[in-house]
C-alpha cells in the first residue's frame, strides 16, 4: 500500500507525460513576435495561484484508479488543448481536475505571471515566497513583464524574483526608479535570459550591463533605448560574451561609438536587427563593418547618425549583396548623396522599407535607382528631399506598383501630376503630402478615385486609410468632402494650416486636441481628424453641403482670390508652421520608422 501511494506522488522532473519547457508550444525566441515587436505587456495568460495542497479537498485514496483516456494523452497534445483557453481562471480550474492536468496547467499559468496591477504583483510575490509550495514556482517563470508598473517599481520590488533564475524574457520598460542594484540582483546567476528590455532606465550604468555580459551568455535580444549612461566599456563585453545576439536597440545611447559597434559586427554573426537612432558618434567605419559582416542583417536603422557619409556604402566589398536586408532607415543622414543610394540599391536588391527623409542632397537620380527595387518596395519615405520632381515620381509609380506607404512631405517641386500618378497605385493605403503647396483639388479628386475598379458591380471606393495634407494651402472644402465620401476606410486626415478648415469653428469641433507641447500659434492652425472624428466630419458635411459651401470658392480655382486678410493669414501660418528642419511633425505624432508620420513637419 505504501508503495502504491509513493507511485501516485508527482515528480516534477520525471520523463512521463509532465509539462516542461521543452514540451511547451511556446514559439522560438528568434521568431517575429519577440519583445521588440510585441505589445507593451505580453503577460496575458498567467495568474498567481495558491499552493495546490491548500486547495485539495481530500487525501489521495489508497488504491490506484484506472486512468482516463484523456490522462493518457501525451503532454504535448494536452498542453496544445489547454492553450486554447483564453481565461487564466479556466486554466486554474483545469488544474483541479487531476494531477496530470495540474502538472501541465501550472506551466501555462506561471510561464508569464500576470503583473499588470500592484495587487496581481503582490499575489505573485506571495506565492513565490511560500516555503512549502507544491510546485517550484520560481523555476516556472520564463517571462516577466513589469512595465505596466513602471511608476511604482523600485529595486525592492525585484527582490522576490531573485530566485527566478530561469527567466528567458525580462521587460522593465520605463521603470525609471530601478538602478543597477535591482538589475544586477535579477540577472546574477541567470544563464537562461534570452531577451532584456530596459528602455528608458536612465540610471543604469555599465555596471549592470557588465553583469549581463558575465551571466547571460545566451542573450539574443537587448533593448537599452535611452540608457544614456551606457558606454563602450560594457557593450564591448556584451559583444564578446553574448555571441548569439540577434536584435540590438541602442537608440539615444549618446556615448556609444564605433568601438562597440564594430565589436558587435565582429563577434555577433547572427545579428538580424540593429537600431542606432540618435547614436550621433557613429561614423562610416561602424556602418561598413556592420554591413560587411552582417550577411543575415534584416533591419538597419541609422536615423540621425549625421556623421555617416557616402563612404559607409561605397567602401563595401565589391560584389557583396545583402539578400536578407528588408528595412533601412537613413533619416537625416544629410551627407548622403546619389552615389550612396545607387550603391545601396545595388547591394540590397530586396529592400522593402526605405527611409531617406531629410537626405536633402539626393535628386531624381536616387529615385530612378530606387525604381530597380520593383515590386519589393512597400514603404518609401522621401520627406524633405526637395530636389525630387514629378518625373521621378512618375517612374517610381511605373516600376514599384506595390507601394503601400509613401511620404513626400516638403517636396516643393511636386505638382498635381505626381499625385495623379500616385493615385493609381493599387495597394496605396497611406500618403504624406505635407507642405506640397503646389497641389490643388485636382490631386484630392484623383486620390478619391484611387483603386476604383470599373468592372466591379459594387459601389466604387478608395482604400486609403491615412492622408496627410497639412499646409497644402490651395485645398478647398469641396475637394476634402469628396475625399471623405469616397474613402470609407479613412481613419486619419491632417489638414493643419489649410485655411478652409482651421478658420471654421464648426469644422474644427471634430478635431482632436493639439499636443500639449505645441505653441499657441501652432494650436491656432492645428487641424487633425482621426478615429471617430473622421466619421463625424463626414456626416456633418453630408447633412447640408450647400449651406456649408457658401463661403467656398470653385472646386478647381487656378487663381488665388485677393483677400485683405491674406497677409495677416500668411503671417499666422508662417509663425505657426514647423520649419522644414524641425523633427516634430505637425500632427503631434511620433516618427517611428514604419509608423505613421506627417512628414516631420
Amino acid at each position: 500500500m505504501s508503495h502504491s501511494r509513493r507511485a501516485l506522488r508527482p515528480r516534477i522532473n520525471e520523463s512521463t507525460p509532465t509539462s516542461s519547457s521543452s514540451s511547451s508550444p511556446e514559439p522560438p525566441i528568434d521568431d517575429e513576435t519577440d519583445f521588440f515587436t510585441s505589445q507593451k505587456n505580453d503577460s496575458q495568460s498567467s495568474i498567481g495561484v495558491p499552493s495546490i495542497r491548500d486547495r485539495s479537498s481530500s487525501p489521495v485514496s489508497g488504491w490506484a484508479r484506472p486512468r482516463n483516456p484523456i490522462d493518457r494523452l501525451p503532454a504535448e497534445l494536452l498542453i496544445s488543448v489547454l492553450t486554447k483557453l483564453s481565461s487564466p481562471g479556466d486554466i486554474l480550474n483545469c488544474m483541479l481536475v487531476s494531477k496530470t492536468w495540474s502538472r501541465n496547467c501550472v506551466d501555462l499559468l506561471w510561464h508569464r505571471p500576470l503583473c499588470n496591477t500592484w495587487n496581481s504583483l503582490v499575489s505573485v510575490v506571495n506565492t513565490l515566497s511560500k516555503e512549502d509550495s507544491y510546485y517550484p514556482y520560481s523555476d516556472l517563470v520564463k517571462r516577466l513583464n513589469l512595465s505596466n508598473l513602471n511608476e511604482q517599481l523600485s529595486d525592492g520590488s525585484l527582490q522576490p524574483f531573485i530566485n527566478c533564475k530561469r527567466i528567458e524574457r525580462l521587460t522593465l520598460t520605463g521603470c525609471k526608479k530601478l538602478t543597477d542594484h535591482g538589475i544586477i540582483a535579477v540577472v546574477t546567476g541567470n544563464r537562461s535570459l534570452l531577451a532584456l528590455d530596459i528602455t528608458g532606465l536612465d540610471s543604469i550604468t555599465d555596471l549592470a550591463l557588465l553583469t549581463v555580459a558575465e551571466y547571460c551568455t545566451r542573450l539574443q535580444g537587448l533593448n537599452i533605448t535611452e540608457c544614456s549612461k551606457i558606454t563602450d566599456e560594457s557593450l564591448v563585453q556584451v559583444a564578446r560574451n553574448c555571441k548569439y545576439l540577434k536584435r540590438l536597440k541602442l537608440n539615444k545611447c549618446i556615448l556609444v561609438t564605433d568601438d562597440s559597434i564594430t565589436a558587435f559586427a565582429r563577434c555577433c554573426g547572427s545579428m538580424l536587427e540593429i537600431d542606432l537612432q540618435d547614436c550621433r558618434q557613429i561614423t562610416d567605419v561602424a556602418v561598413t563593418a556592420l554591413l560587411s559582416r552582417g550577411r543575415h542583417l534584416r533591419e538597419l536603422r541609422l536615423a540621425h547618425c549625421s556623421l555617416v557619409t557616402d563612404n559607409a556604402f561605397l567602401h563595401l566589398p565589391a560584389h557583396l549583396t545583402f539578400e536578407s536586408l528588408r528595412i533601412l532607415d537613413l533619416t537625416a543622414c544629410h551627407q548622403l548623396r546619389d552615389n550612396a543610394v545607387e550603391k545601396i540599391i545595388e547591394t540590397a536588391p530586396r529592400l522593402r522599407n526605405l527611409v531617406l527623409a531629410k537626405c536633402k542632397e539626393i535628386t531624381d537620380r536616387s529615385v530612378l535607382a530606387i525604381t530597380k527595387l520593383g515590386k519589393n518596395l512597400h514603404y518609401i519615405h522621401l520627406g524633405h528631399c526637395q530636389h525630387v520632381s514629378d518625373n521621378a515620381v512618375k517612374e517610381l509609380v511605373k516600376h514599384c506598383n506595390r507601394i503601400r506607404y509613401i511620404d513626400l512631405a516638403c517636396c516643393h517641386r511636386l505638382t498635381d501630376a505626381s499625385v495623379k500618378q500616385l493615385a493609381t497605385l493599387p495597394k496605396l493605403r497611406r500618403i504624406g503630402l505635407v507642405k506640397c503647396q503646389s497641389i490643388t483639388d485636382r490631386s484630392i479628386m484623383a486620390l478619391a478615385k484611387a483603386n476604383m475598379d470599373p468592372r466591379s458591380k459594387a459601389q466604387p471606393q478608395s482604400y486609403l486609410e491615412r492622408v496627410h495634407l497639412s499646409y497644402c494651402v490651395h485645398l478647398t472644402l469641396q475637394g476634402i468632402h469628396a475625399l471623405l465620401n469616397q474613402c470609407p476606410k479613412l481613419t486619419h486626415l491632417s489638414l493643419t494650416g489649410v485655411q478652409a478648415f482651421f478658420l471654421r469653428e464648426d469644422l474644427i469641433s471634430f478635431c482632436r486636441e493639439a499636443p500639449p507641447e505645441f505653441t499657441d500659434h501652432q494650436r491656432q492652425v492645428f487641424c487633425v481628424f482621426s478615429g471617430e472624428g473622421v466619421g463625424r466630419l463626414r456626416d456633418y458635411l453630408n447633412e447640408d453641403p450647400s449651406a456649408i459651401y457658401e463661403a467656398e470658392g470653385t472646386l478647381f480655382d487656378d487663381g488665388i482670390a485677393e483677400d485683405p486678410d491674406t497677409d495677416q493669414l500668411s503671417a499666422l501660418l508662417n509663425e505657426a508652421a514647423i520649419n522644414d528642419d524641425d523633427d516634430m511633425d505637425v500632427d503631434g505624432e511620433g516618427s517611428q520608422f514604419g509608423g505613421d508620420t506627417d512628414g516631420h513637419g
Side-chain angles (χ1 to χ4, degrees):
M1 183 66 70
S2 62
H3 176 73
S4 62
R5 284 184 177 144
R6 285 196 300 270
L8 288 171
R9 186 177 300 278
R11 294 192 320 206
I12 302 302
N13 295 323
E14 63 186 6
S15 59
T16 54
T18 61
S19 67
S20 66
S21 59
S22 62
S23 62
S24 170
E26 197 60 29
I29 188 69
D30 61 345
D31 67 353
E32 297 295 335
T33 59
D34 76 344
F35 73 92
F36 286 114
T37 56
S38 65
Q39 299 297 319
K40 183 176 182 181
N41 191 319
D42 62 356
S43 301
Q44 299 174 349
S45 63
S46 307
I47 58 173
V49 296
S51 168
I52 196 68
R53 289 175 177 171
D54 298 337
R55 302 184 66 96
S56 298
S57 57
S58 60
V60 179
S61 60
W63 51 276
R65 293 177 296 178
R67 298 180 68 190
N68 279 323
I70 197 168
D71 284 336
R72 294 197 293 270
L73 279 177
E76 291 81 358
L77 292 180
L78 182 56
I79 291 174
S80 180
V81 172
L82 294 173
T83 54
K84 305 300 182 183
L85 298 175
S86 58
S87 168
D90 291 340
I91 299 178
L92 178 59
N93 290 332
C94 289
M95 279 190 69
L96 308 179
V97 171
S98 68
K99 290 186 175 181
T100 300
W101 281 41
S102 176
R103 289 193 293 270
N104 288 285
C105 286
V106 71
D107 262 359
L108 296 177
L109 284 169
W110 280 88
H111 185 82
R112 46 185 180 188
L114 184 65
C115 298
N116 284 347
T117 66
W118 190 256
N119 288 337
S120 61
L121 176 62
V122 170
S123 176
V124 169
V125 167
N126 288 339
T127 305
L128 289 173
S129 302
K130 288 187 176 181
E131 297 181 356
D132 60 342
S133 297
Y134 193 87
Y135 290 110
Y137 294 109
S138 295
D139 292 339
L140 299 178
V141 178
K142 300 297 176 61
R143 297 189 183 184
L144 184 60
N145 189 333
L146 302 176
S147 56
N148 272 14
L149 304 173
N150 52 17
E151 295 182 358
Q152 300 167 277
L153 211 66
S154 64
D155 290 340
S157 308
L158 293 182
Q159 289 302 309
F161 296 97
I162 60 175
N163 292 322
C164 299
K165 300 304 182 185
R166 296 188 179 181
I167 294 177
E168 296 176 354
R169 300 189 185 185
L170 178 60
T171 305
L172 301 169
T173 306
C175 300
K176 293 183 177 294
K177 295 181 181 179
L178 292 179
T179 68
D180 289 338
H181 300 293
I183 303 300
I184 290 173
V186 175
V187 302
T188 297
N190 187 337
R191 305 282 181 180
S192 302
L193 194 65
L194 299 176
L196 175 64
D197 187 347
I198 51 175
T199 298
L201 276 63
D202 50 14
S203 297
I204 299 301
T205 70
D206 288 330
L207 192 61
L209 274 196
L210 287 171
T211 306
V212 171
E214 179 180 357
Y215 291 100
C216 309
T217 55
R218 297 178 58 202
L219 197 67
Q220 295 184 19
L222 177 63
N223 187 345
I224 56 172
T225 297
E226 298 179 2
C227 294
S228 55
K229 296 180 180 179
I230 300 297
T231 72
D232 290 340
E233 178 186 355
S234 60
L235 289 175
V236 169
Q237 285 302 117
V238 170
R240 290 173 178 171
N241 293 358
C242 306
K243 298 182 181 296
Y244 302 106
L245 264 177
K246 295 182 179 181
R247 295 173 173 88
L248 181 65
K249 293 177 73 71
L250 303 178
N251 305 31
K252 299 183 180 179
C253 292
I254 57 177
L255 302 179
V256 172
T257 73
D258 290 345
D259 290 342
S260 57
I261 303 306
T262 53
F264 282 114
R266 185 172 58 255
C267 301
C268 304
S270 301
M271 190 72 73
L272 299 177
E273 305 169 11
I274 185 164
D275 191 339
L276 302 174
Q277 177 179 334
D278 280 310
C279 296
R280 300 188 183 234
Q281 298 189 55
I282 299 302
T283 71
D284 297 338
V285 174
V287 178
T288 303
L290 281 173
L291 289 172
S292 299
R293 296 174 178 267
R295 302 300 300 273
H296 303 292
L297 204 61
R298 294 192 310 213
E299 299 182 18
L300 177 59
R301 305 170 193 263
L302 300 168
H304 301 283
C305 294
S306 54
L307 297 181
V308 174
T309 71
D310 291 355
N311 291 332
F313 304 97
L314 297 180
H315 290 173
L316 289 171
H319 309 298
L320 187 66
T321 58
F322 309 100
E323 294 291 339
S324 299
L325 192 62
R326 295 292 184 272
I327 297 175
L328 180 61
D329 185 358
L330 297 169
T331 298
C333 294
H334 55 79
Q335 297 191 59
L336 292 183
R337 291 173 172 79
D338 294 330
N339 288 338
V341 177
E342 290 175 340
K343 181 65 174 180
I344 289 168
I345 302 304
E346 177 187 339
T347 56
R350 301 185 66 184
L351 272 175
R352 184 184 65 206
N353 294 19
L354 178 61
V355 181
L356 295 170
K358 298 186 180 180
C359 296
K360 296 184 179 182
E361 299 299 322
I362 69 173
T363 68
D364 285 355
R365 182 176 151 197
S366 290
V367 180
L368 293 177
I370 293 171
T371 61
K372 296 178 182 178
L373 294 175
K375 295 181 179 180
N376 292 317
L377 188 64
H378 291 176
Y379 178 112
I380 178 70
H381 198 323
L382 296 170
H384 302 266
C385 298
Q386 300 175 3
H387 300 299
V388 173
S389 71
D390 289 339
N391 291 332
V393 173
K394 180 180 178 180
E395 291 300 312
L396 184 66
V397 172
K398 179 179 178 181
H399 294 90
C400 305
N401 61 0
R402 292 191 179 181
I403 293 175
R404 292 166 169 79
Y405 181 109
I406 186 166
D407 198 318
L408 297 165
C410 300
C411 294
H412 302 304
R413 298 181 62 187
L414 300 185
T415 68
D416 291 333
S418 286
V419 184
K420 289 178 181 178
Q421 290 295 321
L422 292 169
T424 65
L425 290 170
K427 296 182 179 294
L428 188 64
R429 297 295 183 268
R430 308 178 184 187
I431 185 169
L433 298 168
V434 173
K435 286 190 179 179
C436 294
Q437 296 182 348
S438 295
I439 70 171
T440 68
D441 281 345
R442 290 188 176 91
S443 293
I444 305 308
M445 296 304 295
L447 289 174
K449 297 176 182 178
N451 304 323
M452 291 184 180
D453 186 354
R455 298 170 296 179
S456 175
K457 296 181 180 179
Q459 181 70 23
Q461 64 182 29
S462 169
Y463 295 103
L464 280 172
E465 298 171 359
R466 299 176 71 91
V467 180
H468 304 263
L469 299 169
S470 294
Y471 297 102
C472 295
V473 294
H474 298 311
L475 303 184
T476 68
L477 186 56
Q478 290 100 322
I480 299 301
H481 189 187
L483 183 69
L484 286 166
N485 282 334
Q486 294 294 340
C487 301
K489 297 182 181 295
L490 199 65
T491 61
H492 182 98
L493 177 63
S494 70
L495 296 166
T496 295
V498 178
Q499 182 180 356
F501 279 80
F502 78 86
L503 293 178
R504 296 189 52 165
E505 294 290 339
D506 58 331
L507 300 181
I508 63 174
S509 63
F510 304 108
C511 290
R512 73 183 193 198
E513 291 292 327
E517 64 270 17
F518 272 29
T519 66
D520 291 339
H521 291 291
Q522 289 171 348
R523 290 175 179 276
Q524 289 183 45
V525 299
F526 183 80
C527 189
V528 176
F529 305 90
S530 59
E532 295 180 357
V534 176
R536 291 198 297 266
L537 176 64
R538 181 189 295 113
D539 295 340
Y540 175 75
L541 293 177
N542 287 335
E543 286 179 2
D544 189 1
S546 59
I548 297 173
Y549 291 163
E550 285 181 357
E552 284 286 309
T554 59
L555 187 61
F556 300 118
D557 188 1
D558 291 332
I560 301 177
E562 293 185 3
D563 188 335
D565 295 329
T566 298
D567 292 340
Q568 183 179 356
L569 178 62
S570 298
L572 176 63
L573 288 175
N574 289 335
E575 190 167 2
I578 299 170
N579 295 328
D580 288 354
D581 291 331
D582 281 342
D583 291 332
M584 183 187 299
D585 75 275
V586 296
D587 284 4
E589 296 182 346
S591 58
Q592 292 180 349
F593 174 76
D596 307 318
T597 71
D598 206 11
H600 308 280

